Amino acid sequence: MQTEIRHLLDCHVVGSDGQSIGKVGQVYLNDQTGEPEWVTVRTGFFGMKQTFVPLSNTRHSGEEIHVPFDKEMIKGAPNIDADERLSLREEADLYRYYGMRPSTIPQQRTSGEPSMGTPITGEMRDGLMDDGLMDEGDIDMTMSEERLHVGKESRETGRVRLHKYVETENVHETIPLSHEEVVIEREPIRDGEALGTAEIGEEDRQMILHEERPVVGKETRPVERVHLRKRDVEHEETVEGQIRRERLEIDEDGTIGDEAMDEPMDGLRDERGMLGRDDDIPPER
């Protein structure tokens, strides 16, 4: 039994959403059976808050306890003092919150039984020293933040198409033309100029007349060359995005201070029990 308790105290609780919720703080045993029935998981900043989680329907894998509840549901469980025994009312509130039927409560207790569950913590060293249970040491917490990565992508913004078409226009041009016409010239023959004798009879002669007419011919010849090319034009544009950053709040004696870590933790003051820069550490009380 002590070996099982020690193993539980060394485990981390993992929610149904795969998120690590925290380390087991205490194990609560059933007063009648002595079996582990509840564990508390350390949540909140620096793991100072302990929330109850039922061990029913859980699965152990190495140093992890996989529970059928997500992280947000576990963090919202009823706030019960983890340093005391669970009363019947507190236990009923917890079962009701986790949606577990009353029949799942081991060996239904009567109203005459005032409380259940003996809390076993990692600090109960004297009784479990032989099993190697030790006090928890320093608390480590990993701080994460999101960073904005800005890249470039190429996308189509439009297309340019060259289309050649034929346009017809009327052209007027004047050219000189010539043609032949008949000109009749009459010249009387004077007496004494006649050459020989003339005979009376029919005679035909002809003359061919010519004229010029316009002749239209066409030829095709190149007049211009069009070249289409692309060029890169650079400009600057400002982009916006939201990033998330984890902060720290220190809960000391139930009072939440304003110790939000806005800067990287480049200073460490273990002797004060406080993380942060040297100039952010409050004076000694």
Side-chain angles (χ1 to χ4, degrees):
M1 175 61 66
Q2 291 182 356
T3 301
E4 181 180 358
I5 295 174
R6 181 186 63 221
H7 177 69
L8 290 174
L9 289 171
D10 291 335
C11 288
H12 283 76
V13 177
V14 179
S16 59
D17 52 0
Q19 295 192 51
S20 178
I21 299 172
K23 188 176 181 181
V24 172
Q26 300 185 50
V27 178
Y28 276 68
L29 307 180
N30 186 293
D31 285 341
Q32 296 183 4
T33 65
E35 296 294 329
E37 189 169 349
W38 295 86
V39 295
T40 62
V41 58
R42 297 183 180 275
T43 60
F45 295 102
F46 297 105
M48 300 184 67
K49 178 183 178 181
Q50 298 192 52
T51 306
F52 282 85
V53 182
L55 289 175
S56 177
N57 298 323
T58 60
R59 177 174 58 87
H60 292 212
S61 176
E63 294 185 353
E64 293 180 346
I65 301 177
H66 294 262
V67 298
F69 312 103
D70 60 26
K71 185 174 183 179
E72 290 302 320
M73 184 173 185
I74 292 176
K75 290 176 63 177
N79 188 14
I80 298 176
D81 191 354
D83 294 328
E84 303 292 339
R85 295 164 60 90
L86 281 176
S87 67
L88 287 177
R89 175 173 296 181
E90 291 173 336
E91 182 189 13
D93 290 342
L94 287 171
Y95 272 109
R96 187 181 304 108
Y97 174 79
Y98 284 108
M100 303 176 69
R101 294 179 300 175
S103 59
T104 60
I105 302 179
Q107 300 183 11
Q108 294 294 303
R109 301 177 181 83
T110 65
S111 60
E113 295 175 304
S115 64
M116 61 76 60
T118 301
I120 304 297
T121 70
E123 299 176 356
M124 300 179 65
R125 182 175 309 184
D126 296 337
L128 300 175
M129 182 61 71
D130 293 339
D131 291 320
L133 294 180
M134 301 296 292
D135 288 337
E136 292 188 14
D138 298 337
I139 297 175
D140 293 330
M141 179 176 292
T142 301
M143 302 295 293
S144 303
E145 70 178 13
E146 293 178 336
R147 295 186 178 182
L148 192 65
H149 295 282
V150 180
K152 297 185 293 184
E153 67 172 358
S154 177
R155 62 184 181 90
E156 183 177 309
T157 58
R159 297 187 181 186
V160 178
R161 180 170 61 93
L162 283 181
H163 172 68
K164 185 171 68 173
Y165 64 95
V166 177
E167 181 184 67
T168 302
E169 70 173 309
N170 294 325
V171 178
H172 300 276
E173 188 172 342
T174 302
I175 61 174
L177 299 174
S178 67
H179 66 277
E180 295 177 340
E181 293 180 351
V182 174
V183 178
I184 299 176
E185 295 179 353
R186 297 176 181 269
E187 182 181 354
I189 298 176
R190 296 182 180 87
D191 295 337
E193 294 179 351
L195 297 177
T197 62
E199 296 181 359
I200 296 176
E202 294 182 359
E203 182 180 5
D204 292 327
R205 291 191 179 185
Q206 66 178 5
M207 176 183 294
I208 299 176
L209 300 178
H210 298 85
E211 71 174 358
E212 294 178 337
R213 292 185 176 180
V215 177
V216 178
K218 294 185 288 186
E219 66 173 349
T220 302
R221 61 185 179 90
V223 295
E224 185 181 15
R225 180 177 290 108
V226 178
H227 176 70
L228 189 66
R229 66 182 180 88
K230 297 188 298 184
R231 67 174 180 176
D232 293 332
V233 179
E234 295 185 353
H235 68 283
E236 294 183 353
E237 184 174 337
T238 301
V239 297
E240 294 183 358
Q242 292 183 343
I243 59 174
R244 297 179 301 172
R245 181 182 294 110
E246 294 178 343
R247 304 295 192 186
L248 287 181
E249 291 184 357
I250 301 176
D251 191 347
E252 182 178 355
D253 294 334
T255 301
I256 300 180
D258 296 327
E259 314 295 334
M261 299 301 178
D262 292 330
E263 301 292 339
M265 293 185 291
D266 51 5
L268 185 63
R269 296 288 294 271
D270 291 336
E271 70 277 8
R272 298 286 299 277
M274 191 82 69
L275 292 175
R277 300 175 299 170
D278 292 342
D279 53 357
D280 287 339
I281 298 177
E284 293 285 355
R285 294 185 176 89

